[in-house]
Amino acid sequence: MSMFMGVVMACFICTAASIFYNEAIPKAARMSAYLDGCKKAWIPCFVVSYIASFAAVWLGSKVAEKYAK
């Protein structure tokens, strides 16, 4: 799986977890809340996840360089 697909899937999984495990949202309204949330929040979620993935790769390479010597 490419990094792009991993970031996209993480975005939708995190959105689903925050909605489906929220007891304040009635069960009957959770699916529509999830779909509406995905429509509205996927761009900021994608951008943050994409930046975080590059930061994780950078940090991982620095740690690997430190311990590989």
Side-chain angles (χ1 to χ4, degrees), residues 24-66:
I25 300 173
K27 286 186 179 182
R30 288 181 185 170
M31 184 54 81
S32 63
Y34 171 69
L35 294 175
D36 290 339
C38 288
K39 286 186 233 176
K40 294 177 184 174
W42 77 271
I43 292 175
C45 186
F46 175 76
V47 170
V48 169
S49 297
Y50 200 71
I51 292 170
S53 68
F54 278 108
V57 169
W58 176 80
L59 183 61
S61 65
K62 293 297 180 187
V63 169
E65 287 173 5
K66 179 180 177 182

